[in-house]
Short mmCIF file of all heavy atoms in Angstrom, two decimals:
data_model
loop_
_atom_site.label_atom_id
_atom_site.label_comp_id
_atom_site.label_asym_id
_atom_site.label_seq_id
_atom_site.Cartn_x
_atom_site.Cartn_y
_atom_site.Cartn_z
N TRP A 103 -12.74 -7.94 -1.83
CA TRP A 103 -11.57 -7.20 -2.39
C TRP A 103 -12.00 -5.69 -2.62
O TRP A 103 -13.08 -5.35 -2.92
CB TRP A 103 -11.17 -7.81 -3.67
CG TRP A 103 -10.46 -9.15 -3.41
CD1 TRP A 103 -10.98 -10.32 -3.10
CD2 TRP A 103 -9.07 -9.33 -3.55
NE1 TRP A 103 -10.04 -11.23 -2.91
CE2 TRP A 103 -8.84 -10.71 -3.23
CE3 TRP A 103 -7.98 -8.55 -3.77
CZ2 TRP A 103 -7.50 -11.21 -3.16
CZ3 TRP A 103 -6.71 -9.08 -3.81
CH2 TRP A 103 -6.51 -10.43 -3.39
N TYR A 104 -10.99 -4.84 -2.36
CA TYR A 104 -11.23 -3.46 -2.41
C TYR A 104 -9.91 -2.76 -2.87
O TYR A 104 -8.82 -3.24 -2.81
CB TYR A 104 -11.62 -2.85 -1.04
CG TYR A 104 -10.57 -3.04 0.07
CD1 TYR A 104 -9.68 -2.00 0.31
CD2 TYR A 104 -10.51 -4.17 0.83
CE1 TYR A 104 -8.67 -2.18 1.27
CE2 TYR A 104 -9.56 -4.28 1.83
CZ TYR A 104 -8.68 -3.30 2.02
OH TYR A 104 -7.66 -3.44 2.97
N PHE A 105 -10.14 -1.51 -3.34
CA PHE A 105 -9.12 -0.62 -3.59
C PHE A 105 -9.04 0.43 -2.59
O PHE A 105 -10.12 1.07 -2.28
CB PHE A 105 -9.40 -0.02 -5.01
CG PHE A 105 -8.80 1.36 -5.27
CD1 PHE A 105 -7.44 1.66 -5.10
CD2 PHE A 105 -9.60 2.34 -5.72
CE1 PHE A 105 -6.91 2.88 -5.39
CE2 PHE A 105 -9.11 3.63 -6.00
CZ PHE A 105 -7.75 3.92 -5.84
N GLN A 106 -7.94 0.61 -1.88
CA GLN A 106 -7.81 1.65 -0.78
C GLN A 106 -7.57 2.96 -1.49
O GLN A 106 -6.44 3.21 -1.90
CB GLN A 106 -6.75 1.24 0.17
CG GLN A 106 -6.71 2.11 1.41
CD GLN A 106 -8.00 1.88 2.34
OE1 GLN A 106 -8.27 0.76 2.64
NE2 GLN A 106 -8.56 2.98 2.74
N ASN A 107 -8.54 3.83 -1.56
CA ASN A 107 -8.41 5.06 -2.20
C ASN A 107 -8.27 6.12 -1.11
O ASN A 107 -9.25 6.72 -0.63
CB ASN A 107 -9.59 5.40 -3.10
CG ASN A 107 -9.51 6.67 -3.86
OD1 ASN A 107 -8.38 7.18 -4.09
ND2 ASN A 107 -10.60 7.23 -4.16
N GLY A 108 -7.02 6.44 -0.71
CA GLY A 108 -6.77 7.40 0.39
C GLY A 108 -7.45 6.65 1.62
O GLY A 108 -7.23 5.52 1.90
N PRO A 109 -8.28 7.47 2.31
CA PRO A 109 -8.83 6.88 3.52
C PRO A 109 -10.15 6.00 3.24
O PRO A 109 -10.62 5.40 4.17
CB PRO A 109 -9.28 8.17 4.34
CG PRO A 109 -9.59 9.13 3.29
CD PRO A 109 -8.52 8.90 2.19
N GLN A 110 -10.56 5.97 2.04
CA GLN A 110 -11.80 5.23 1.71
C GLN A 110 -11.57 3.91 1.04
O GLN A 110 -10.79 3.84 0.05
CB GLN A 110 -12.72 6.04 0.82
CG GLN A 110 -14.01 5.49 0.57
CD GLN A 110 -15.01 6.37 -0.16
OE1 GLN A 110 -14.61 6.88 -1.24
NE2 GLN A 110 -16.11 6.57 0.39
N ARG A 111 -12.22 2.88 1.51
CA ARG A 111 -12.21 1.55 0.82
C ARG A 111 -13.29 1.51 -0.25
O ARG A 111 -14.46 1.82 0.02
CB ARG A 111 -12.46 0.40 1.78
CG ARG A 111 -11.33 0.08 2.64
CD ARG A 111 -11.65 -1.18 3.48
NE ARG A 111 -10.51 -1.53 4.26
CZ ARG A 111 -10.40 -2.46 5.03
NH1 ARG A 111 -11.47 -3.42 5.17
NH2 ARG A 111 -9.32 -2.72 5.86
N VAL A 112 -12.86 1.27 -1.53
CA VAL A 112 -13.80 1.21 -2.60
C VAL A 112 -13.81 -0.30 -2.94
O VAL A 112 -12.88 -0.85 -3.51
CB VAL A 112 -13.26 2.01 -3.80
CG1 VAL A 112 -14.20 1.89 -4.99
CG2 VAL A 112 -13.09 3.54 -3.43
N TYR A 113 -14.94 -0.95 -2.49
CA TYR A 113 -15.10 -2.41 -2.71
C TYR A 113 -15.29 -2.68 -4.20
O TYR A 113 -15.99 -1.90 -4.88
CB TYR A 113 -16.17 -2.97 -1.83
CG TYR A 113 -15.62 -3.11 -0.42
CD1 TYR A 113 -15.83 -2.15 0.54
CD2 TYR A 113 -14.97 -4.26 -0.07
CE1 TYR A 113 -15.36 -2.30 1.84
CE2 TYR A 113 -14.45 -4.45 1.18
CZ TYR A 113 -14.65 -3.48 2.10
OH TYR A 113 -14.16 -3.64 3.36
N VAL A 114 -14.73 -3.82 -4.65
CA VAL A 114 -14.79 -4.15 -6.06
C VAL A 114 -15.77 -5.32 -6.38
O VAL A 114 -15.74 -6.31 -5.67
CB VAL A 114 -13.34 -4.61 -6.50
CG1 VAL A 114 -13.40 -4.99 -7.94
CG2 VAL A 114 -12.33 -3.45 -6.23
N GLU A 115 -16.63 -5.14 -7.37
CA GLU A 115 -17.54 -6.06 -7.90
C GLU A 115 -16.73 -6.97 -8.89
O GLU A 115 -16.08 -6.36 -9.72
CB GLU A 115 -18.70 -5.46 -8.60
CG GLU A 115 -19.55 -4.61 -7.61
CD GLU A 115 -20.25 -5.43 -6.58
OE1 GLU A 115 -21.06 -6.27 -6.97
OE2 GLU A 115 -19.91 -5.19 -5.34
N LEU A 116 -16.77 -8.27 -8.73
CA LEU A 116 -15.90 -9.12 -9.54
C LEU A 116 -16.77 -9.89 -10.55
O LEU A 116 -17.84 -10.41 -10.17
CB LEU A 116 -15.26 -10.14 -8.62
CG LEU A 116 -14.38 -9.66 -7.52
CD1 LEU A 116 -13.96 -10.74 -6.63
CD2 LEU A 116 -13.18 -8.90 -8.02
N GLU A 117 -16.36 -9.93 -11.76
CA GLU A 117 -16.98 -10.75 -12.80
C GLU A 117 -16.82 -12.26 -12.52
O GLU A 117 -17.66 -13.07 -12.61
CB GLU A 117 -16.56 -10.44 -14.17
CG GLU A 117 -17.23 -11.18 -15.25
CD GLU A 117 -16.98 -10.77 -16.68
OE1 GLU A 117 -16.38 -9.65 -16.88
OE2 GLU A 117 -17.40 -11.47 -17.58
N ALA A 118 -15.53 -12.60 -12.15
CA ALA A 118 -15.27 -14.01 -11.95
C ALA A 118 -14.43 -14.35 -10.75
O ALA A 118 -14.72 -15.21 -9.92
CB ALA A 118 -14.62 -14.59 -13.20
N ALA A 119 -13.31 -13.69 -10.60
CA ALA A 119 -12.40 -13.88 -9.50
C ALA A 119 -11.63 -12.60 -9.16
O ALA A 119 -11.58 -11.63 -9.89
CB ALA A 119 -11.40 -14.98 -9.96
N PRO A 120 -10.99 -12.55 -8.00
CA PRO A 120 -10.31 -11.26 -7.57
C PRO A 120 -9.04 -11.00 -8.31
O PRO A 120 -8.54 -9.91 -8.33
CB PRO A 120 -10.01 -11.55 -6.08
CG PRO A 120 -9.98 -12.95 -5.86
CD PRO A 120 -10.94 -13.55 -6.93
N LEU A 121 -8.49 -12.02 -9.05
CA LEU A 121 -7.22 -11.86 -9.77
C LEU A 121 -7.49 -12.46 -11.16
O LEU A 121 -8.21 -13.38 -11.36
CB LEU A 121 -6.14 -12.62 -9.07
CG LEU A 121 -5.78 -12.10 -7.64
CD1 LEU A 121 -4.90 -13.15 -6.93
CD2 LEU A 121 -5.14 -10.79 -7.71
N VAL A 122 -6.77 -11.89 -12.13
CA VAL A 122 -6.83 -12.36 -13.46
C VAL A 122 -5.36 -12.68 -13.82
O VAL A 122 -4.51 -11.73 -13.71
CB VAL A 122 -7.43 -11.35 -14.53
CG1 VAL A 122 -7.36 -11.88 -15.90
CG2 VAL A 122 -8.83 -11.07 -14.08
N TRP A 123 -5.03 -13.89 -14.14
CA TRP A 123 -3.73 -14.35 -14.47
C TRP A 123 -3.30 -14.13 -15.87
O TRP A 123 -4.06 -14.47 -16.74
CB TRP A 123 -3.49 -15.76 -14.07
CG TRP A 123 -3.81 -16.22 -12.67
CD1 TRP A 123 -4.61 -17.23 -12.32
CD2 TRP A 123 -3.25 -15.66 -11.48
NE1 TRP A 123 -4.63 -17.29 -10.92
CE2 TRP A 123 -3.76 -16.35 -10.38
CE3 TRP A 123 -2.39 -14.58 -11.21
CZ2 TRP A 123 -3.48 -16.10 -9.06
CZ3 TRP A 123 -2.03 -14.31 -9.88
CH2 TRP A 123 -2.61 -15.06 -8.81
N ARG A 124 -2.12 -13.64 -16.09
CA ARG A 124 -1.43 -13.70 -17.39
C ARG A 124 -0.36 -14.82 -17.25
O ARG A 124 0.38 -14.89 -16.32
CB ARG A 124 -0.79 -12.34 -17.74
CG ARG A 124 -1.70 -11.20 -17.87
CD ARG A 124 -2.89 -11.38 -18.82
NE ARG A 124 -2.63 -11.95 -20.08
CZ ARG A 124 -2.61 -11.28 -21.21
NH1 ARG A 124 -2.95 -10.06 -21.27
NH2 ARG A 124 -2.37 -11.87 -22.36
N VAL A 125 -0.38 -15.64 -18.23
CA VAL A 125 0.51 -16.89 -18.19
C VAL A 125 1.33 -16.76 -19.49
O VAL A 125 0.83 -16.56 -20.54
CB VAL A 125 -0.28 -18.16 -18.18
CG1 VAL A 125 0.65 -19.42 -18.17
CG2 VAL A 125 -1.26 -18.26 -17.02
N ASP A 126 2.65 -16.98 -19.29
CA ASP A 126 3.56 -17.02 -20.52
C ASP A 126 3.87 -18.38 -21.00
O ASP A 126 3.53 -19.38 -20.39
CB ASP A 126 4.79 -16.06 -20.27
CG ASP A 126 5.83 -16.69 -19.23
OD1 ASP A 126 5.77 -17.85 -18.95
OD2 ASP A 126 6.63 -15.92 -18.79
#
Side-chain angles (χ1 to χ4, degrees):
W103 285 75
Y104 64 91
F105 153 54
Q106 188 71 47
N107 184 26
Q110 185 173 54
R111 282 187 180 181
V112 179
Y113 281 95
V114 178
E115 299 294 298
L116 305 173
E117 182 171 349
L121 300 164
V122 177
W123 302 127
R124 297 309 312 253
V125 182
D126 69 16

